Amino acid sequence: MLIASLIFIVTLIFVIWQPRGLQIGTTAILGAIIALIFQVVNFDDVLAVTNIVWDATLAFIGIIILSMVLDEIGFFEWAALKMAKFSNGNGMLMFIYSILLGAFVSALFANDGAALILTPILLAKMRILKLNTKTIVAFLLAGGFISDSASLPFVFSNLTNIVTANYFSIGFVEYFLNMIVPFIVSVITSIVFLWLLLRKDIPKFVDITLLKEPKSVIKNMNLFYFSWIFLGVLLAGYFVGDAYDIPISIFALGGAIIFLIIATISKTVKPKHIIKEAPWQVVWFSIGLYIVVYGLKNAGLTDYLTIVLKDLSLRGDTIAVLGTGFIAAFLSAIMNNMPTVMIMDIALTDIPNQALAYANIVGCNLGPKMTPFGSLATLLWLHVLAKKGVKISFWQYSKFGLMITPPVLFIVLLAV
């Protein structure tokens, strides 16, 4: 257990620290190689991990590519401007609408898509509106939180969703029907608590006349209209594919490639730029870190968790769901939600209560918001903001996360 734990801790430190620009995927693969050298894992474990994460990773790449193409068209900037115009300059309404926009993007384009694409757009618009620093940070904190708390309704809304759904053979429709209520509860609860915490920094009035007209940012209006039809067909495809047990990545990555080809033919985007900028490091990060985590499983960590979770499962559904969700949440906050979801899934294997699998997802999606390094989405979000000149300190983020996450998590788990 000691060697496996040390390899994991050092790998995670370097993932968070990223010294001299060392990318997260490279670090994770190096950690996996070290785990192999010290025989913490073997090549059979590598194959087992790849079998678990391949669908989730390829689906994620597809969703991000699709999001990047839509961003090039002007889709998300149009949505942000439309949201601002709908508020009619009312600060409170703009705050609520921005959260709802974040929830929409997170649900359909994954939490990482919301963090990577929507965040810089919202930041740029807030600077045009000449909002003060405290107000900008308030909007950004709200957007960062909702990107994870709203990543519940679809299997593809979060990598943790895909991994768990595949691990327990939960179909797309079954997953949606079980998580639509927690999603709605999560969005409403998040809005309430975000408003209570940040209302002092939200202005009563915002001068929206400083913003462009939404239509002016669309590069190709025909492609923009077509994109709505395409998204509707793609979403329907996920439901149809569920009936035939088709991997979700077939639709996510296949749909992204088709839309990229269409956008290229219309001369709206440059495919080389999209492919080059796609987050390929996430592929290596997912496989590498999961291999490192599998070493913890081999060392017996999941056995200890199984004992605790089995005890919780005997104490009634409510206690079991709350207990499982909070264990997943605190582990995610401490050691990142990617390894946590895998460890928890393995620990839950022999417990005949599927509600605990959903509780694990909720815990792994919301729990990471308690620390800056709890999820890949938050790390990417902070990196994007730092590049744009907005620095949110470790303590500033943690104080906010620890205040809002536990009560929202508690209420959402009750809805599972």
Side-chain angles (χ1 to χ4, degrees):
M1 176 69 86
L2 179 61
I3 295 175
S5 298
L6 282 174
I7 292 172
F8 172 75
I9 291 169
V10 171
T11 302
L12 192 59
I13 287 172
F14 274 81
V15 165
I16 297 165
W17 182 21
Q18 296 180 36
R20 296 187 178 182
L22 185 64
Q23 297 194 65
I24 57 174
T26 306
T27 298
I29 290 296
L30 288 173
I33 292 171
I34 293 170
L36 279 166
I37 292 172
F38 281 90
Q39 298 184 335
V40 172
V41 294
N42 56 45
F43 285 104
D44 287 337
D45 295 330
V46 174
L47 292 175
V49 168
T50 304
N51 186 53
I52 292 171
V53 304
W54 73 267
D55 189 37
T57 305
L58 292 179
F60 171 78
I61 291 293
I63 291 166
I64 294 300
I65 289 175
L66 177 60
S67 301
M68 291 172 71
V69 176
L70 288 169
D71 186 41
E72 284 290 312
I73 294 170
F75 184 94
F76 296 108
E77 187 173 5
W78 171 88
L81 289 168
K82 203 73 174 175
M83 170 273 296
K85 296 291 184 179
F86 272 138
S87 72
N88 289 319
N90 184 304
M92 183 184 75
L93 286 178
M94 183 177 289
F95 182 72
I96 293 172
Y97 291 163
S98 70
I99 295 173
L100 290 174
L101 175 60
F104 168 78
V105 174
S106 180
L108 287 180
F109 303 101
N111 58 330
D112 298 287
L116 282 170
I117 293 170
L118 193 59
T119 297
I121 291 173
L122 290 176
L123 176 59
K125 301 313 166 195
M126 286 186 286
R127 283 174 168 167
I128 291 172
L129 290 169
K130 300 178 181 179
L131 302 178
N132 63 47
T133 303
K134 283 188 174 182
T135 298
I136 290 175
V137 170
F139 272 88
L140 292 174
L141 286 172
F145 185 81
I146 200 67
S147 68
D148 280 314
S149 68
S151 63
L152 296 173
F154 301 110
V155 171
F156 56 72
S157 300
N158 198 313
L159 271 171
T160 58
N161 304 358
I162 307 174
V163 170
T164 302
N166 285 348
Y167 192 86
F168 291 103
S169 300
I170 301 172
F172 188 88
V173 175
E174 180 185 358
Y175 178 92
F176 174 76
L177 293 175
N178 279 288
M179 291 300 274
I180 186 62
V181 172
F183 164 71
I184 294 170
V185 171
S186 184
V187 172
I188 294 172
T189 307
S190 295
I191 289 173
V192 171
F193 279 92
L194 286 168
W195 173 249
L196 289 173
L197 278 177
L198 302 171
R199 66 188 186 281
K200 292 180 180 177
D201 297 321
I202 307 302
K204 291 182 178 180
F205 177 77
V206 178
D207 185 7
I208 59 172
T209 60
L210 297 170
L211 297 173
K212 298 177 181 177
E213 284 301 313
K215 282 189 176 182
S216 68
V217 301
I218 302 297
K219 293 182 180 178
N220 185 319
M221 192 58 69
N222 289 331
L223 189 58
F224 171 73
Y225 289 134
F226 174 75
S227 67
W228 287 98
I229 299 171
F230 186 86
L231 290 172
V233 172
L234 183 59
L235 186 59
Y238 287 117
F239 285 94
V240 173
D242 181 49
Y244 297 95
D245 293 324
I246 299 174
I248 195 168
S249 59
I250 298 295
F251 291 95
L253 185 56
I257 292 171
I258 291 170
F259 196 72
L260 176 60
I261 292 171
I262 293 170
T264 301
I265 292 171
S266 69
K267 297 181 179 181
T268 307
V269 302
K270 296 179 179 179
K272 286 185 179 179
H273 171 73
I274 297 292
I275 294 171
K276 183 182 177 181
E277 294 299 318
W280 299 110
Q281 279 283 319
V282 174
V283 176
W284 315 122
F285 174 80
S286 297
I287 295 173
L289 193 59
Y290 274 129
I291 290 170
V292 172
V293 168
Y294 214 81
L296 292 176
K297 177 259 183 187
N298 290 343
L301 175 60
T302 52
D303 295 335
Y304 295 122
L305 276 174
T306 298
I307 292 170
V308 175
L309 293 171
K310 280 185 175 179
D311 181 67
L312 284 171
S313 68
L314 299 174
R315 299 176 183 273
D317 284 350
T318 302
I319 296 298
V321 166
L322 288 172
T324 300
F326 271 94
I327 289 172
F330 285 114
L331 285 176
S332 295
I334 295 168
M335 56 186 263
N336 193 271
N337 67 338
M338 292 292 285
T340 296
V341 75
M342 183 175 179
I343 289 174
M344 290 291 290
D345 284 344
I346 294 170
L348 288 167
T349 301
D350 297 322
I351 300 176
N353 187 344
Q354 201 170 76
L356 302 190
Y358 293 111
N360 180 31
I361 290 172
V362 172
C364 288
N365 288 8
L366 273 74
K369 306 314 291 184
M370 288 188 277
T371 62
F373 49 80
S375 72
L376 178 61
T378 304
L379 290 171
L380 292 171
W381 179 76
L382 289 169
H383 179 66
V384 168
L385 291 182
K387 286 176 66 177
K388 299 291 182 180
V390 178
K391 292 187 178 181
I392 298 176
S393 71
F394 177 92
W395 295 113
Q396 182 183 10
Y397 183 91
S398 297
K399 179 183 176 182
F400 167 78
L402 287 168
M403 288 177 68
I404 190 169
T405 304
V408 174
L409 175 62
F410 178 81
I411 294 169
V412 176
L413 285 170
L414 291 177
V416 171

